[in-house]
Amino acid sequence: MTSSETLVDNTDGPARAAEGPARAAEGPARAVNGPARAADRRRWFALAIVMTAAFMDLVDVTIVNIAIPSIQKDAGASFSQIQWITAGYALAFAAGLITGGRLGDIHGRKRLFLVGIGGFTLASALCGFAPNPEMLVASRILQGGMAAMMVPQVLSIVHATFPAHERGKVFGLFGAVVGLGAVSGPLLGALLTEWNLFGLQWRPIFLINLPVGVAAFWLGSRFITESKAPRALKLDLVGVGLVTLGLLMLLYPLTRGRELGWPLWGYGSMAGALVVFAALVAYERRKAARDGSPLVELSLFRVKSFAAGIAVQTVFGVALGVFFLVWTLYMQIGLGWSPLRAGLTGVPFSIAVSTAAGMSVQKLVPRFGRKVLQAGALTMAAGVLLYIWESERYGLHIASWQMALPLVVMGMGMGLIVAPLTDAVLSEVPREHAGSASGLINTVQQMGNALGLGLVSVVFFGVIGDRLTPAQVGPAFVDAFQHALVWVAAVMGVIFVLMSALPKRPAQHAEGADGAGDAGERAAEASRPADERERAMAV
């Protein structure tokens, strides 16, 4: 043994002597760390559960679109009923989003999440076993209402469960789930419809939610930790009622008007909807002055970029509502394609959306700001016009591969818009109002979607004759598809103009590195379809 080794050995003695108390202290430390590690595992289980619920909601929207023609044929649904199968869900979802978030703040997010996913599962069963189109429409409305109870709790539970430094990773996972839902929904719907499991035809698209929902409910009751806002705002049921009434008065005559010959009461109902919305504004002003808890924070509309952004979100929702329904009707009824072929045809679109969305947020918007969103609107309009040209050129003989180019161009344009839009809209909103603003953004987008679905009866079915021979169906649907896409292209032009009121560069990108932390917090706020100060205080 060398002298240096002897020195080390000799000096090691006091260190070892000190190990006794240190090791003695390890017992309590391990006792404390044990529950901490268990809690750590529980929160990741909770994350998986709420992400599964979010995935269910995302897939449910796209999975139904691809199966609509099969539902129409098998269930004998009228064209207005198939509109309501999709629009009813969107309307109930939109009307209940903010209230769902507020109920979670008051009564507990875990409790509302379990109510939502339980109700969503039950409504899925009712949809799957619906004996007639009327029952299916009613069940879809219930399903949308239950989704409005479930979805706002997802990101609220994430905020209450994970510390700020881990949320970036969590929101990255959430983005992956959104992308997976966008790609897998149409394919899953096509496969389930095509396979005709147990002779149930389209019904498995709803019944597949049952085992997933039951498992999520049971696991959620075990692993999700309850959380509430310490000072939750009050409910605004009158506001919810006025919003729902106004939308129904607008949508119902739009959806049924063509079939009923555009009766006078339909025009009166649409005019009355404007009166209801005016009453909503007046009531919300009084409620804000009285107890500070309105459904709609009207002061936000004094921010120019927010007001313009809300208009963009609404109009964009209209465009998407029109396009996706007429697209699936065009492919499956007009061209006579199978659900599987239609679903596979949409894969390039979904991939383009996901790819462009990632590029826009990470690389393009920090450098070019608002121009990226405007370029997205023009790109999507160009894709729509290209689709019209190809549809007219090839007619009934168009192939899936010939649709790939316009769909990729459209998908790229949509991806450049959807990812950074919410951030751009919120960039000039005061931080204390970010939660309320993001909830309103999500709500108006769903309302726009419902309005677009209602307009399908005008821009698509209005072009199709009432009585068509089998030989006339294909050409009539192709012509109607082209006509509807002209409207979609025009809407994208309106969106381009409205985007000029958005900030040239979102605040966090203008601030550079110093704003990086704010960017993460603002992105987190933008993801929360709930209320303002209370949600932040709970975290």
Side-chain angles (χ1 to χ4, degrees):
M1 185 179 288
T2 64
S3 59
S4 61
E5 287 173 334
T6 305
L7 179 61
V8 171
D9 264 357
N10 289 340
T11 55
D12 218 16
R16 285 176 179 165
E19 283 181 1
R23 284 177 177 167
E26 282 182 5
R30 284 174 181 159
V32 171
N33 288 336
R37 282 194 291 270
D40 183 76
R41 288 194 298 269
R42 288 176 63 89
R43 66 197 174 109
W44 289 105
F45 280 129
L47 176 65
I49 294 160
V50 297
M51 290 295 185
T52 300
F55 182 79
M56 283 175 62
D57 170 65
L58 290 165
V59 168
D60 194 76
V61 175
T62 53
I63 204 173
V64 171
N65 275 339
I66 205 72
I68 280 292
S70 299
I71 295 172
Q72 190 266 334
K73 181 180 178 181
D74 178 58
S78 66
F79 286 133
S80 66
Q81 285 171 332
I82 65 173
Q83 284 177 265
W84 274 103
I85 290 169
T86 48
Y89 182 96
L91 176 61
F93 190 38
L97 262 176
I98 295 178
T99 299
R102 196 161 293 179
L103 284 169
D105 287 342
I106 296 171
H107 298 293
R109 289 138 189 172
K110 173 182 176 179
R111 180 180 297 176
L112 261 293
F113 175 81
L114 294 177
V115 168
I117 199 165
F120 188 88
T121 305
L122 174 61
S124 298
L126 294 174
C127 289
F129 294 114
N132 51 56
E134 293 80 9
M135 179 67 178
L136 181 55
V137 170
S139 301
R140 282 287 286 170
I141 292 172
L142 175 63
Q143 196 180 34
M146 291 298 101
M149 298 295 105
M150 174 180 70
V151 171
Q153 317 312 324
V154 171
L155 292 171
S156 302
I157 289 170
V158 168
H159 273 257
T161 306
F162 288 86
H165 69 275
E166 289 185 338
R167 288 183 203 145
K169 183 193 300 183
V170 172
F171 283 111
L173 291 172
F174 187 76
V177 168
V178 171
L180 182 62
V183 174
S184 62
L187 284 178
L188 185 60
L191 289 172
L192 290 174
T193 305
E194 189 85 4
W195 287 339
N196 189 19
L197 298 173
F198 309 108
L200 293 173
Q201 301 191 14
W202 50 268
R203 298 177 187 275
I205 69 169
F206 297 111
L207 299 179
I208 194 175
N209 289 334
L210 302 190
V212 179
V214 170
F217 182 90
W218 181 70
L219 292 172
S221 64
R222 292 191 59 193
F223 292 105
I224 296 175
T225 302
E226 184 62 281
S227 63
K228 298 180 182 180
R231 203 166 47 81
L233 297 174
K234 297 177 181 178
L235 291 178
D236 183 6
L237 295 179
V238 174
V240 173
L242 288 172
V243 167
T244 306
L245 177 62
L247 283 171
L248 281 173
M249 290 175 67
L250 184 61
L251 288 175
Y252 187 77
L254 275 177
T255 306
R256 295 295 313 279
R258 185 187 67 87
E259 291 183 6
L260 299 175
W262 298 107
L264 185 61
W265 65 261
Y267 294 102
S269 176
M270 288 187 280
L274 300 178
V275 177
V276 172
F277 288 132
L280 171 67
V281 171
Y283 174 79
E284 293 299 295
R285 280 179 178 159
R286 287 199 303 273
K287 186 166 178 60
R290 186 169 65 248
D291 58 19
S293 59
L295 179 70
V296 180
E297 185 63 57
L298 295 176
S299 64
L300 291 170
F301 288 92
R302 299 192 191 110
V303 180
K304 177 185 174 184
S305 60
F306 178 80
I310 285 292
V312 170
Q313 284 279 18
T314 305
V315 178
F316 192 47
V318 170
L320 297 183
V322 171
F323 174 74
F324 284 113
L325 181 56
V326 302
W327 184 32
T328 192
L329 293 172
Y330 160 69
M331 289 189 291
Q332 294 187 54
I333 297 180
L335 301 179
W337 290 2
S338 69
L340 182 58
R341 183 177 178 182
L344 290 172
T345 301
V347 170
F349 176 84
S350 299
I351 294 174
V353 171
S354 300
T355 303
M359 289 177 55
S360 66
V361 171
Q362 297 173 16
K363 296 181 179 180
L364 299 178
V365 171
R367 185 174 179 182
F368 301 107
R370 180 181 69 197
K371 293 178 182 178
V372 175
L373 285 89
Q374 292 180 303
L378 293 180
T379 302
M380 192 167 177
V384 171
L385 294 174
L386 181 59
Y387 209 160
I388 295 171
W389 178 78
E390 291 211 350
S391 175
E392 186 173 359
R393 180 182 179 185
Y394 297 108
L396 293 172
H397 304 291
I398 192 170
S400 295
W401 67 267
Q402 290 167 329
M403 292 186 184
L405 179 59
L407 286 174
V408 167
V409 174
M410 286 180 63
M412 290 176 60
M414 183 174 170
L416 293 177
I417 297 172
V418 291
L421 179 57
T422 300
D423 197 23
V425 176
L426 289 175
S427 64
E428 294 180 355
V429 170
R431 180 174 297 279
E432 65 269 17
H433 291 305
S436 178
S438 59
L440 188 56
I441 289 170
N442 290 328
T443 298
V444 298
Q445 186 176 20
Q446 293 297 326
M447 289 180 177
N449 189 258
L451 181 58
L453 291 165
L455 285 170
V456 167
S457 65
V458 178
V459 302
F460 182 77
F461 292 124
V463 182
I464 299 173
D466 291 330
R467 295 179 181 178
L468 299 175
T469 65
Q472 293 174 321
V473 170
F477 271 70
V478 170
D479 289 343
F481 176 69
Q482 295 165 7
H483 182 265
L485 257 59
V486 170
W487 282 91
V488 174
V491 168
M492 298 313 299
V494 172
I495 289 173
F496 173 82
V497 173
L498 291 172
M499 283 177 174
S500 62
L502 296 175
K504 290 184 178 180
R505 194 175 298 274
Q508 64 271 21
H509 299 308
E511 291 164 3
D514 291 339
D518 286 347
E521 287 300 315
R522 197 178 289 278
E525 290 286 352
S527 304
R528 292 187 281 176
D531 305 308
E532 43 188 314
R533 293 172 293 274
E534 277 57 37
R535 187 63 51 83
M537 290 169 61
V539 176

